[in-house]
Amino acid sequence: MLNHLRIINNNLFQPDSLSQNEFERLYISLRKKEGRYFTENEIARLPHVAHSHPLFKEWKIREKSCYHLLNYIKKKGRICNILEVGCGNGWLTAQLASITKGTVTGIDINRAELKKANKVFQKRARLNFVYGDIRSGILADQKFDLIVFAASLQYFKSVKDIVNTAIQHLTLQGEIYILDSPFYAIEEVFPARQRTRKYFSELGFPQMSKYYFHHRLRDLKSYNYKILYNPRSWINKLLFRKNPFYRIVIRNNYV
């Protein structure tokens, strides 16, 4: 299953080829400036980073998110084949591969990150990395028990389009798991967009704003979804839990 695909060097989603190339260039340059572009040795240790790392607190949140995701999969028991959409350097994809007997696939449109992922984790069994866009049909009729969007949903303009595409690749009892992506109330979207534009502009990458989108929880209203963690619930506020991101599961409509 997908073992022959590893990294695909041709751009298989031709309508957005120029856009993808610009996105990759901007994304890598931005990540380097932010301190989020890791060496191969650092990638191999993720989600653990040195306490002195400027993004230590952020990675503690990601570490906990990863912990909850892995526990969710273990408790389900039946989850075998997993897809991570927007896998980047592959650190989470590798974590997923460590707890399942099935095949785990990471897909991304970022060649530079995928090459690092392939090099760092090339010896992991049942782990594949695919270059391409899930919306292009590159996965053909492949089905997965779980499709993960980790800190990647905000780079898709339409929640409906990407979720509908993902659902087509789910097994009958398959699920989509979303983590580490922000969701906003309606009144919060415009201020959030303004903050994003300001942030990217101050870093010298104003063009990046057109690739970053602000989704609302109501965008999921037509799906069979469940909130596993709500950062705004009174109990989480009372317990001073610092993870600002929802954890959400969308079940196949057949469930």
Side-chain angles (χ1 to χ4, degrees):
M1 179 178 175
L2 293 176
N3 288 330
H4 62 292
L5 287 176
R6 305 301 284 185
I7 293 180
I8 306 279
N9 291 317
N10 295 318
N11 194 324
L12 297 178
F13 197 55
Q14 294 300 329
D16 282 340
S17 58
L18 293 177
S19 179
Q20 284 190 7
N21 290 337
E22 182 189 33
F23 173 77
E24 179 178 358
R25 177 181 59 80
L26 286 171
Y27 185 85
I28 293 297
S29 298
L30 173 66
R31 288 311 191 207
K32 287 179 178 178
K33 190 158 188 177
E34 291 176 318
R36 291 187 170 94
Y37 193 69
F38 295 99
T39 66
E40 291 168 11
N41 287 335
E42 290 172 328
I43 292 171
R45 292 192 295 268
L46 292 176
H48 307 294
V49 299
H51 196 277
S52 58
H53 194 284
L55 299 175
F56 174 77
K57 291 183 179 179
E58 175 183 314
W59 277 96
K60 288 302 291 184
I61 290 175
R62 291 202 172 196
E63 182 181 350
K64 289 182 179 178
S65 295
C66 175
Y67 168 81
H68 287 292
L69 172 57
L70 298 185
N71 270 354
Y72 182 83
I73 294 170
K74 291 174 184 176
K75 289 178 181 178
K76 283 285 181 176
R78 60 176 172 74
I79 294 175
C80 293
N81 299 316
I82 302 173
L83 173 71
E84 185 188 358
V85 179
C87 66
N89 60 37
W91 75 268
L92 181 58
T93 325
Q95 292 283 327
L96 295 170
S98 69
I99 63 162
T100 178
K101 294 181 180 179
T103 298
V104 178
T105 302
I107 186 169
D108 207 299
I109 62 170
N110 192 314
R111 288 186 183 91
E113 292 272 56
L114 282 176
K115 287 178 180 178
K116 283 191 173 185
N118 196 50
K119 187 172 182 180
V120 173
F121 303 114
Q122 60 183 325
K123 294 182 180 180
R124 299 286 183 97
R126 304 179 306 278
L127 177 60
N128 302 295
F129 293 104
V130 177
Y131 171 74
D133 190 311
I134 185 177
R135 297 165 296 181
S136 71
I138 185 175
L139 298 178
D141 59 353
Q142 298 292 339
K143 303 289 184 181
F144 301 89
D145 301 305
L146 188 69
I147 297 179
V148 176
F149 289 85
S152 61
L153 198 67
Q154 60 268 34
Y155 296 105
F156 292 95
K157 184 176 183 179
S158 169
V159 169
K160 182 178 180 179
D161 287 349
I162 190 59
V163 170
N164 286 346
T165 299
I167 286 175
Q168 293 173 18
H169 292 285
L170 288 179
T171 57
L172 287 180
Q173 295 186 38
E175 299 176 334
I176 297 168
Y177 193 111
I178 301 169
L179 67 156
D180 291 351
S181 286
F183 283 90
Y184 302 91
I186 296 175
E187 67 274 10
E188 296 173 328
V189 171
F190 180 75
R193 285 174 180 162
Q194 295 296 97
R195 290 194 301 270
T196 296
R197 292 191 185 102
K198 183 178 184 220
Y199 174 76
F200 288 141
S201 294
E202 288 178 349
L203 286 177
F205 300 94
Q207 310 97 311
M208 193 66 195
S209 296
K210 68 181 181 180
Y211 295 109
Y212 191 99
F213 304 96
H214 303 79
H215 302 307
R216 304 165 299 175
L217 270 179
R218 67 176 294 174
D219 295 332
L220 300 175
K221 67 179 181 179
S222 61
Y223 301 103
N224 179 16
Y225 79 94
K226 179 180 180 180
I227 296 175
L228 302 179
Y229 172 81
N230 183 349
R232 302 184 181 194
S233 71
W234 68 267
I235 186 65
N236 288 322
K237 290 181 178 179
L238 183 65
L239 294 174
F240 297 101
R241 288 174 176 155
K242 297 180 180 180
N243 191 332
F245 303 113
Y246 288 85
R247 291 197 302 275
I248 298 172
V249 165
I250 302 174
R251 295 185 172 89
N252 197 327
N253 291 329
Y254 291 102
V255 177

